[in-house]
Amino acid sequence: MPGWAALLCGTVTVLILAAMAVAFWRDPDDGLRQTSHRIELLPRVMADRYTAFAILALVLTLHGDLAVLAAFFAVCAFMGFADGLIYARAGHPHGKHTLSGVLSTGALAITLAALATGGSA
């Protein structure tokens, strides 16, 4: 199958995920409605999300493409800091989330330094 088909699938995935993100940022209740998520099942949903991200991290690490790994660390940093900010603004403990952002930023810096110096996995 041609590579363009895979890129088309990626583009469609980006559009769907972006639409869901906008829905949740704009109105969390509407985001839940649009995605058919249920508050009482969110702990289970988080379990599968963490599992998926762990598998993705493993695959990307084993693949060894530093540019792709840097992008992954940037995404993880965003999530850590964004979650930390959400909890901090709500007056809840945020240290673990914020620390995740800090650690991911450190991993990103190390990976970018390796890329800048021509390092490889």
Side-chain angles (χ1 to χ4, degrees), residues 3-18:
W4 65 263
L7 294 176
L8 178 61
C9 290
T11 301
V12 169
T13 300
V14 167
L15 294 174
I16 291 168
L17 291 172

Side-chain angles (χ1 to χ4, degrees), residues 59-83:
V59 169
L60 295 179
T61 299
L62 292 175
H63 182 66
D65 184 323
L66 294 181
V68 174
L69 202 53
F72 179 73
F73 290 139
V75 168
C76 289
F78 169 79
M79 287 192 314
F81 288 129
D83 288 355

Side-chain angles (χ1 to χ4, degrees), residues 14-51:
V14 167
L15 294 174
I16 291 168
L17 291 172
M20 291 188 311
V22 167
F24 275 102
W25 282 112
R26 225 189 50 223
D27 181 348
D29 291 329
D30 186 48
L32 287 170
R33 185 187 57 74
Q34 286 187 41
T35 59
S36 300
H37 280 298
R38 307 279 308 185
I39 292 280
E40 67 274 12
L41 295 177
L42 283 181
R44 290 185 181 171
V45 170
M46 293 300 293
D48 77 56
R49 294 299 189 271
Y50 277 113
T51 301

Side-chain angles (χ1 to χ4, degrees), residues 80 83-89 91-100:
D83 288 355
L85 185 60
I86 288 166
Y87 282 105
R89 285 182 173 169
H92 298 294
H94 63 89
K96 290 180 181 180
H97 291 94
T98 303
L99 179 60
S100 171

